[in-house]
Amino acid sequence: MNAQGRLLARYLRDLPEGELTWIGVRPQRREPMLSLPSTVAVEGYGLEGDRRMGGRAGSGRQISLISTEFIASIARHLGRAEINPALLRRNLLVSGINLNALRYQYFQIGEAIFQATALCHPCSRMDEVLGRGGVVAMLGYGGLCAKVVRTGRIAVGDRLRPLPESSLPAAPQGSLF
């Protein structure tokens, strides 16, 4: 873990649990998101049914997360009452947790374990789907990218539980931990 991750890990015990409120996958690039009640997060690849499953194993952007709190801020910046999470092209929508505090940290949703990697910056498509100013409205509110470090089923309603690195199961030689 890098220095910023170690700093954030010191405060992990103060981070409350969140809740998974929506799951979306993109079967192909530029296709609409499909909303799912549950899926399997596959170690090293991403979510079953998502186009990233066909990508390079071990990528730091296997899934993307955004929070309802971030979406509310984006909507306010755009003068809207709400925004459909599928428009933002993130895989998981969570609530009740400060996603930025999870950066570089491990967390569990359902049976799966993830590690947050980088901030998920908005792309120019956000101006296409949200209108002019969409990219600017999302700056700082784009959510996080993460990798799947343990395969497991996830479902809407599951808790997002931050995990101290010390609580992770011992990893076999050559694993992603």
Side-chain angles (χ1 to χ4, degrees), residues 5-120:
R6 285 190 301 276
L7 174 66
L8 291 171
R10 291 173 35 197
Y11 302 102
L12 201 58
R13 68 183 174 282
D14 298 328
L15 193 59
E17 291 185 4
E19 180 181 355
L20 179 61
T21 60
W22 182 85
I23 300 170
V25 295
R26 295 172 303 249
Q28 297 294 323
R29 188 174 187 275
R30 291 189 94 36
E31 282 191 15
M33 298 288 286
L34 300 176
S35 178
L36 303 174
S38 67
T39 191
V40 174
V42 179
E43 181 178 333
Y45 288 96
L47 300 180
E48 280 187 356
D50 192 71
R51 72 179 191 85
R52 292 203 177 268
M53 285 289 294
R56 187 182 88 237
S59 163
R61 191 184 170 121
Q62 296 165 14
I63 66 153
S64 54
L65 302 92
I66 195 163
S67 68
T68 56
E69 294 82 1
F70 283 2
I71 291 177
S73 292
I74 296 164
R76 274 194 305 278
H77 289 303
L78 292 171
R80 294 181 174 194
E82 60 185 32
I83 295 174
N84 180 335
L87 291 176
L88 303 180
R89 317 217 29 97
R90 304 302 190 254
N91 298 116
L92 305 178
L93 177 64
V94 299
S95 67
I97 192 165
N98 180 351
L99 279 184
N100 289 332
L102 268 182
R103 193 162 177 213
Y104 305 117
Q105 305 305 308
Y106 293 93
F107 58 94
Q108 183 170 357
I109 300 175
E111 300 168 346
I113 295 178
F114 305 85
Q115 183 184 23
T117 54
L119 297 175
C120 193

Side-chain angles (χ1 to χ4, degrees), residues 3 12 18 42 74 108 127 133 150 154 163 165 174:
L12 201 58
V42 179
I74 296 164
Q108 183 170 357
D127 275 348
R150 186 177 80 192
I154 61 171
L163 296 174
E165 194 170 9

